[in-house]
Amino acid sequence: MASDEAAFLQRLQASADTDYAQTGAASEAEQAYDDDDEEDYDPSALMPESSYAEPSVAISQTSQTAHSPPTNGTPLQSPVENILKSPSQAPSLSTSTLQNPLPPKPPSPVKQPRTIGGFIVDDEDEEEESPFKQANGVSNSGLLGAARTSSTPQGSISQTPVNTAPSNIPISDIDQAQGVSIPASNSASAAAQESAPIPTPSVKDEDKAQFVSTPAEAQTSIPTTPSTFTQSRLPQDRVGILEDRIADDPRGDLDAWLSLINEYQKRNKIEDARATYDRFLDLFPTAAEQWVAYVRMEIDNNHLNQAEALFNRSLLQVLNVDLWSVYLDYIRRRNPTVTDTSGKARQTISQVYDFVLDHIGLDKDSGQIWKDWIDFVRSGPGTVGGTTWQDQQKMDLLRKGYQRAICIPTSVVSTLWKEYDVFEMGLNKTTGRKFLQEKSPSYMTARGANIALSNITKGLKRTMAPTLPPRPGFEGEAEYIEQVDIWKKWIGWEKEDPLVIKDEDLSAYKKRVLYTYKQAVMPLRFWPEMWYDAAEFCFQNGLDTEGNDFISRGLVANPESCLLTFKRAERLELNTTGEGKDGIKSKGDIVREPYDKLLDALYAILDKTKAREEQAIKRLEQTGANDKVQSPGPAKDDDEDDVKDQASQNAREEARKDQIQMIKNGYAVELHDLQKLISHTWITRMRAMRRIQGKGKIGEPIGGLRQAFTDARKRGRVLSDVYVASALMEWHCYKEETALRIFERGMKLFPTDEYFALEFLKHLIATNDGTNARAVFETTVNKLTQKPEHVQKTKPLFKFFHKYESQFGELGQIIKLEKRMADLFPEDPKLVLFKERFAEDRFDPISYRIVISPATQARPKALSGVVATVEAPQPSPKLAPSQIVNSPKRPLVSDDSDNERPRKLARGESPLAGAAGRKQQQQQQKRRLENITENGGRLPPAPLPQQIMGLLNILPSARHYNGPLLPPQVAIQLLRNVDLSRAKLGQPQMPPVQQYTPTPVLGQMPPYGYPPPPAGYGQPSYGYNYPPR
């Protein structure tokens, strides 16, 4: 066995040397291509690498211990920093808390988890044992070593790597005994340092073993190396299962994050829960509910220093009412006013209230904080209405608080107004009426705005954790879009200035809109359009700093967003000046940075998607292999059963092949879309470099367009769009013949891409090169039609060239081309081809229908139903009985009979007598009064007369009318504005219809069966004549 493994490793080394030699040759060719002069620039010299590179193993080295508090918090820029500097109080919330973290605990001895049959056993009752010694023949490289040997001849039953940790990560012995998995950020480094003998996997299994390290910062939230196998774990290892889920989908699987935190809290592992919280909040820094839960966990465990550090990290970034309320409760707990004899505690709390209200006092849910602030001021020393300075100070503070609170639309604005009314009238009725009259308009506006805002935000989930938006057509997409629409309505409502403060205080108006945007991007963190809208509002209102901050934070949350990247690059290009070669080079480097980050993110997603496809296919193939192994051998005495088993196995194999093909087709579409994103990102970068650095030169500091195109080809996985864009820029901007060479090179790289061939044809025709255009057309079509699956790709090429020949070619060529098209596409009618010769983009002379007879050709469809309804004989309107009772002694008489009538009619209900009748009358009277109240105090309209009801019954339905609609309001307004004083009453001039005898003419029948109108019909005749002007 050892000799077989050694021979296999030697073959691996030989193949690696061969690959290295090929790579070195390719690098030399690229270097020679880069050294070409500008005059010899030929893009065909470089062949891009089209194969997917194998993902490399990412090993994350994390040395930060879980016991030290975070040190990346933002100190609060407020008087709160000096709140708790008293020796008797807790440390302050200043930066000193973050600069002096707790000393790390000494590392505990690393203990190997138990395994049974290759599975990690989660045993909480296991006692502490000493670590195992390293076995002979096992190197420190662990599973990652390619040349490791083992004396154990058997293969590994499980593919789960042994979870060991380096010495610089303190993990308690209890954690090791329970089989707790190491966090994903340290899994690779843990696997690299083994300290116990493990079952040796086969070489094939080792090749599959690749590890994913969860990044510690949001900037690297997309794992660059996806996992290529699924770890096998026992159901008891809940922590390990959750860690695997997080490593596979860190930004999408929120349930795994929250379940892992709850699992650690159930086990009372505060250190592990804290580390998981930190990892979670690095990815989701705007998850307000998790910040609140994290802070309360620290406070409940009396870890006040850690709680203060969390306040420093979160408050200014997460403007959430619940989080700031927890902060207020903490400050009031640390500064008790009952035992405060010097007044410092009350002064500190007062400063904190001012700080809190300045930041979240605009929130529609901040009403309780305003109420608590007023109650806190009321409970202070002094008497309302007193004469001392302390009494006057308390009165001024209360009036100031009330006047600020009643101008903000909150749920308690009406309650606060009533309290303010009692407060002012209790002091002095004369001055109280004056103050109330001044603030009454603001209160009325705030109260109405609160009602409107409550209706707009109905159904809004402000506290939901940030989730990735579902793809269109998938589950959850409608609910997500509904939340986005509600946020947009709220923001639009704020922009309309319902509080009427834009003219009086423009800064307050901007602050309210900006605050709403900050609230919106908290749950919609992964919706780039919201970050973009917020930045655009800032740029339009002179808030460039805030706008750039929105773009930067949005890119941290969405590194794969083309929208935010292109906006960021555009801002950098506009605001960066570059003069001279050094300035141009520096500006190009600055603008190129966001494009490089976007490309890194997109390439990482492409690799991960490719790895998912391979995983899915391998799982199906492994299932098929297991079925073959488990199937029993053929029996010699039962041929019929053998035939049935073989048929069943063949059917399963065919179904499995179909599934694999479906998986490949689905992932092919997704990979193609990702390649489109990558290609268009390169195109945008090429255009930006051309604007900044011009054509440029490959290998020079100012590379420009050509260096960007070369970089795209070297990195690979781009579509033909990149070649088309580069060639067109070379031609239209510089009139270079290089464009033709780029197109020719693209024809070799993308021989079956109909889009590229079509663009090449357009370019040749635009440059008046019809000969080469026909040659390219024939070459491409002949190559595509050789395979039946590519025949449909030629249709756009045929249509374009058919249009070109129809306009500028010979008739014989047109007929030959149409015959070829009819042979390749027999389903297309020949008339369509003939029409396309003469059709233009704006008009089709063949399809147009000339109106010769308006009476027969231009008759509206809806009017035919109206005519039939009017012409049909209608019976005289009469009130039908409410119900006809069929007598058992006589047959029911039909309604169409004119001689007989129904024998029995249903009578109306008899009025009740006595108390029941009076009660019924009272109920009817009550319903009438309710109807009057609903109509705004007006009586309900009287019923229409019987004749009018009969007319309405015979009129056709409104849906049959298809003519122009006359707005009734405009007609009534026109009638009201008629000046009757200028009119002279007279007789109408229209003769009666009975006196007119029409003369029928063939082909000119009267419309709708009525005689044609007399001369002058249609002129306005209202019974009077207007005098001449």
Side-chain angles (χ1 to χ4, degrees):
M1 177 65 68
S3 60
D4 294 341
E5 292 184 357
F8 179 80
L9 294 177
Q10 289 178 359
R11 288 196 299 272
L12 287 180
Q13 183 66 27
S15 62
D17 296 338
T18 304
D19 294 340
Y20 175 79
Q22 295 177 356
T23 305
S27 301
E28 292 177 1
E30 293 175 358
Q31 181 65 28
Y33 169 74
D34 293 342
D35 294 338
D36 289 344
D37 294 335
E38 181 180 357
E39 293 76 15
D40 298 331
Y41 173 62
D42 185 4
S44 61
L46 181 61
M47 182 70 180
E49 182 69 23
S50 59
S51 62
Y52 287 94
E54 289 294 328
S56 58
V57 178
I59 302 177
S60 173
Q61 300 292 342
T62 306
S63 60
Q64 183 180 1
T65 63
H67 297 278
S68 60
T71 59
N72 57 349
T74 304
L76 302 180
Q77 303 297 329
S78 68
V80 184
E81 297 182 359
N82 300 321
I83 289 174
L84 302 174
K85 286 190 176 180
S86 175
S88 61
Q89 305 297 340
S92 65
L93 295 180
S94 62
T95 56
S96 61
T97 305
L98 302 179
Q99 294 174 354
N100 298 320
L102 296 177
K105 296 180 181 180
S108 304
V110 179
K111 181 176 174 296
Q112 191 71 15
R114 287 182 54 198
T115 58
I116 297 179
F119 292 93
I120 301 176
V121 179
D122 190 7
D123 187 6
E124 297 189 9
D125 298 330
E126 183 183 0
E127 297 180 359
E128 180 178 351
E129 299 178 1
S130 59
F132 293 99
K133 293 183 179 180
Q134 185 173 348
N136 296 331
V138 178
S139 64
N140 292 331
S141 59
L143 289 177
L144 302 180
R148 58 170 278 192
T149 60
S150 174
S151 60
T152 305
Q154 62 183 5
S156 174
I157 299 177
S158 171
Q159 292 180 347
T160 306
V162 177
N163 292 328
T164 57
S167 59
N168 60 345
I169 299 180
I171 299 179
S172 61
D173 295 334
I174 300 177
D175 299 346
Q176 294 291 336
Q178 292 179 346
V180 178
S181 298
I182 300 171
S185 59
N186 300 327
S187 60
S189 60
Q193 298 185 11
E194 294 184 7
S195 59
I198 60 173
T200 304
S202 62
V203 178
K204 181 177 181 181
D205 293 335
E206 286 182 351
D207 294 338
K208 296 181 181 179
Q210 296 180 5
F211 300 90
V212 179
S213 61
T214 302
E217 297 182 359
Q219 290 86 340
T220 58
S221 59
I222 299 178
T224 58
T225 306
S227 176
T228 58
F229 68 93
T230 304
Q231 296 181 347
S232 302
R233 296 184 183 273
L234 290 176
Q236 294 84 353
D237 187 10
R238 180 167 175 79
V239 172
I241 294 173
L242 293 174
E243 286 285 4
D244 292 341
R245 290 172 54 185
I246 292 173
D248 183 64
D249 190 8
R251 287 199 298 174
D253 200 346
L254 290 176
D255 293 337
W257 282 105
L258 301 180
S259 299
L260 182 60
I261 293 172
N262 293 333
E263 189 70 22
Y264 282 134
Q265 290 178 343
K266 287 179 183 178
R267 301 183 182 186
N268 198 24
K269 297 180 179 180
I270 305 302
E271 294 291 339
D272 294 330
R274 181 184 294 121
T276 308
Y277 263 125
D278 291 336
R279 291 162 51 200
F280 175 82
L281 293 173
D282 284 339
L283 285 176
F284 308 96
T286 59
E289 285 188 341
Q290 280 63 46
W291 279 110
V292 172
Y294 192 6
V295 171
R296 285 177 175 169
M297 183 192 75
E298 298 291 4
I299 294 177
D300 293 342
N301 289 277
N302 204 27
H303 298 160
L304 302 183
N305 291 339
Q306 285 83 351
E308 293 179 8
L310 293 178
F311 285 134
N312 275 314
R313 290 172 54 189
S314 62
L315 283 180
L316 296 181
Q317 300 296 328
V318 184
L319 300 178
N320 179 262
V321 174
D322 294 337
L323 179 61
W324 287 73
S325 299
V326 172
Y327 171 62
L328 276 172
D329 295 341
Y330 175 80
I331 294 299
R332 298 187 69 170
R333 169 187 173 181
R334 301 290 290 160
N335 295 270
T337 57
V338 178
T339 59
D340 181 28
T341 58
S342 61
K344 292 183 178 180
R346 177 169 291 275
Q347 182 181 1
T348 299
I349 296 174
S350 179
Q351 292 177 355
V352 171
Y353 264 114
D354 290 337
F355 174 70
V356 171
L357 292 174
D358 287 341
H359 283 81
I360 63 166
L362 302 176
D363 200 290
K364 74 181 188 66
D365 297 332
S366 63
Q368 189 59 42
I369 297 180
W370 283 104
K371 201 170 183 303
D372 293 343
W373 158 240
I374 292 174
D375 294 340
F376 173 76
V377 175
R378 193 188 298 274
S379 65
T383 304
V384 177
T387 57
T388 64
W389 67 270
Q390 201 170 30
D391 300 335
Q392 296 293 327
Q393 185 184 48
K394 183 176 182 178
M395 180 184 65
D396 294 339
L397 287 176
L398 281 174
R399 179 177 289 116
K400 180 182 177 182
Y402 275 123
Q403 290 181 353
R404 289 179 61 190
I406 62 176
C407 297
I408 299 174
T410 59
S411 58
V412 298
V413 63
S414 299
T415 303
L416 294 176
W417 173 259
K418 293 177 182 178
E419 294 180 2
Y420 180 52
D421 182 276
V422 174
F423 168 74
E424 290 290 0
M425 298 303 291
L427 293 176
N428 189 312
K429 294 185 179 298
T430 304
T431 59
R433 291 192 185 95
K434 174 180 175 294
F435 285 120
L436 292 174
Q437 186 177 4
E438 291 177 354
K439 291 298 179 181
S440 179
S442 300
Y443 159 69
M444 296 298 294
T445 303
R447 188 181 68 174
N450 177 56
I451 297 174
L453 188 57
S454 299
N455 295 330
I456 291 174
T457 58
K458 187 178 298 183
L460 183 65
K461 300 177 182 179
R462 298 184 60 184
T463 57
M464 73 173 186
T467 56
L468 294 170
R471 296 189 68 175
F474 288 82
E475 183 181 359
E477 191 254 347
E479 292 79 2
Y480 196 94
I481 297 300
E482 181 183 2
Q483 294 296 312
V484 174
D485 293 338
I486 294 176
W487 279 111
K488 289 183 178 180
K489 291 178 181 178
W490 185 359
I491 294 170
W493 181 82
E494 290 286 356
K495 289 181 178 180
E496 293 175 357
D497 190 23
L499 299 179
V500 197
I501 59 177
K502 187 174 183 179
D503 297 334
E504 298 178 0
D505 191 353
L506 183 59
S507 61
Y509 165 77
K510 295 179 182 179
K511 186 177 180 181
R512 283 194 64 88
V513 178
L514 203 61
Y515 180 83
T516 311
Y517 271 120
K518 291 180 179 180
Q519 294 296 310
V521 297
M522 288 169 60
L524 303 180
R525 176 174 175 81
F526 302 117
W527 189 255
E529 286 83 351
M530 189 60 66
W531 295 96
Y532 176 85
D533 291 341
E536 278 295 312
F537 173 80
C538 295
F539 295 145
Q540 293 174 3
N541 291 272
L543 305 173
D544 292 351
T545 303
E546 290 81 357
N548 292 328
D549 181 66
F550 273 117
I551 293 293
S552 300
R553 291 170 55 197
L555 282 174
V556 170
N558 305 274
E560 69 284 345
S561 172
C562 295
L563 172 65
L564 298 177
T565 299
F566 295 166
K567 185 62 180 178
R568 173 65 175 167
E570 177 186 300
R571 295 288 302 178
L572 292 174
E573 185 177 350
L574 289 175
N575 299 327
T576 305
T577 58
E579 297 180 358
K581 291 185 178 180
D582 294 338
I584 293 176
K585 178 183 178 302
S586 176
K587 183 176 181 179
D589 296 340
I590 293 174
V591 175
R592 189 168 54 245
E593 180 183 359
Y595 292 113
D596 292 341
K597 292 182 179 179
L598 174 61
L599 289 170
D600 292 340
L602 292 178
Y603 276 109
I605 296 176
L606 187 67
D607 292 337
K608 191 173 183 180
T609 305
K610 187 66 177 177
R612 284 203 195 104
E613 179 186 8
E614 295 174 357
Q615 278 186 353
I617 295 174
K618 286 180 180 179
R619 280 196 295 266
L620 288 176
E621 293 175 349
Q622 185 65 31
T623 303
N626 294 337
D627 291 344
K628 292 180 180 179
V629 172
Q630 295 176 1
S631 60
K636 298 181 179 179
D637 55 349
D638 198 351
D639 296 337
E640 294 182 359
D641 293 342
D642 294 344
V643 172
K644 292 181 180 180
D645 293 342
Q646 185 65 28
S648 176
Q649 184 176 356
N650 293 338
R652 290 196 301 269
E653 187 66 24
E654 291 296 330
R656 190 175 298 108
K657 291 180 179 179
D658 294 340
Q659 292 179 357
I660 291 175
Q661 188 62 38
M662 291 175 59
I663 290 174
K664 290 182 178 180
N665 295 338
Y667 276 102
V669 174
E670 189 171 357
L671 291 171
H672 185 71
D673 292 341
L674 289 173
Q675 286 182 305
K676 282 185 178 179
L677 284 175
I678 292 174
S679 300
H680 284 272
T681 302
W682 279 113
I683 292 171
T684 308
R685 175 181 163 179
M686 288 159 52
R687 291 170 179 167
M689 291 299 101
R690 185 201 61 80
R691 291 192 299 266
I692 298 172
Q693 298 180 348
K695 179 172 55 177
K697 190 175 181 180
I698 299 175
E700 296 293 331
I702 302 179
L705 165 64
R706 293 183 173 179
Q707 183 63 51
F709 179 50
T710 304
D711 294 341
R713 300 175 67 197
K714 285 182 178 179
R715 197 157 185 182
R717 305 184 190 182
V718 294
L719 301 178
S720 61
D721 306 58
V722 177
Y723 286 78
V724 172
S726 176
L728 294 181
M729 279 188 279
E730 289 280 356
W731 174 255
H732 290 286
C733 297
Y734 307 109
K735 300 297 180 182
E736 292 283 348
E737 293 298 331
T738 308
L740 186 59
R741 293 201 295 269
I742 294 176
F743 273 119
E744 291 174 353
R745 181 59 179 168
M747 287 296 295
K748 297 178 181 179
L749 296 175
F750 311 99
T752 60
D753 191 342
E754 70 278 10
Y755 164 77
F756 183 82
L758 182 61
E759 294 297 327
F760 193 10
L761 284 176
K762 292 179 181 179
H763 172 71
L764 292 174
I765 291 174
T767 57
N768 199 20
D769 192 356
T771 303
N772 285 329
R774 288 182 174 86
V776 170
F777 171 75
E778 293 295 339
T779 303
T780 307
V781 167
N782 293 334
K783 187 176 296 183
L784 289 176
T785 53
Q786 290 177 0
K787 296 183 179 180
E789 61 271 14
H790 292 163
V791 171
Q792 290 297 326
K793 288 185 176 183
T794 61
K795 182 174 285 190
L797 297 175
F798 272 109
K799 285 189 174 183
F800 174 79
F801 208 70
H802 177 260
K803 190 66 178 179
Y804 170 72
E805 292 286 3
S806 300
Q807 293 177 349
F808 312 107
E810 299 294 335
L811 182 59
Q813 296 293 335
I814 299 174
I815 296 175
K816 290 181 181 178
L817 190 61
E818 288 181 355
K819 187 178 182 303
R820 294 176 63 185
M821 296 175 68
D823 294 339
L824 290 174
F825 314 109
E827 67 278 2
D828 294 345
K830 295 184 178 180
L831 178 59
V832 176
L833 292 177
F834 185 77
K835 288 168 56 178
E836 288 179 352
R837 294 193 204 173
F838 314 98
E840 300 291 340
D841 295 337
R842 297 181 299 172
F843 184 71
D844 185 2
I846 296 179
S847 300
Y848 181 77
R849 294 183 182 179
I850 302 175
V851 178
I852 300 174
S853 175
T856 58
Q857 294 181 270
R859 184 169 57 184
K861 293 182 180 180
L863 295 180
S864 60
V866 177
V867 174
T869 306
V870 174
E871 291 180 350
Q874 299 293 338
S876 59
K878 61 180 180 179
L879 294 178
S882 60
Q883 184 179 1
I884 298 177
V885 180
N886 189 6
S887 173
K889 297 181 180 180
R890 300 178 182 89
L892 180 63
V893 181
S894 175
D895 293 338
D896 299 334
S897 177
D898 296 334
N899 300 326
E900 298 181 7
R901 61 179 181 178
R903 302 294 297 175
K904 290 187 178 182
L905 300 177
R907 297 186 304 170
E909 296 181 358
S910 301
L912 299 177
R918 290 193 297 272
K919 184 176 181 181
Q920 186 180 16
Q921 292 179 359
Q922 292 176 359
Q923 292 177 354
Q924 293 176 355
Q925 182 67 19
K926 183 178 180 181
R927 284 196 295 270
R928 267 195 300 272
L929 293 176
E930 290 177 354
N931 293 335
I932 294 174
T933 304
E934 292 177 359
N935 293 331
R938 299 186 301 272
L939 292 173
L944 296 174
Q946 181 179 352
Q947 293 78 4
I948 298 179
M949 291 297 297
L951 176 62
L952 294 177
N953 287 332
I954 66 175
L955 287 177
S957 175
R959 67 176 180 271
H960 297 299
Y961 181 72
N962 197 23
L965 298 177
L966 179 65
Q969 298 86 356
V970 178
I972 294 174
Q973 188 67 23
L974 177 63
L975 294 176
R976 286 178 178 176
N977 296 336
V978 172
D979 188 5
L980 298 179
S981 61
R982 300 175 55 196
K984 294 182 179 180
L985 298 178
Q987 297 298 328
Q989 301 296 325
M990 184 175 62
V993 177
Q994 292 80 2
Q995 299 177 2
Y996 181 80
T997 303
T999 302
V1001 180
L1002 183 61
Q1004 296 183 2
M1005 295 299 294
Y1008 316 129
Y1010 290 99
Y1017 185 79
Q1019 302 295 329
S1021 177
Y1022 305 100
Y1024 49 83
N1025 298 323
Y1026 287 100
R1029 296 185 179 180

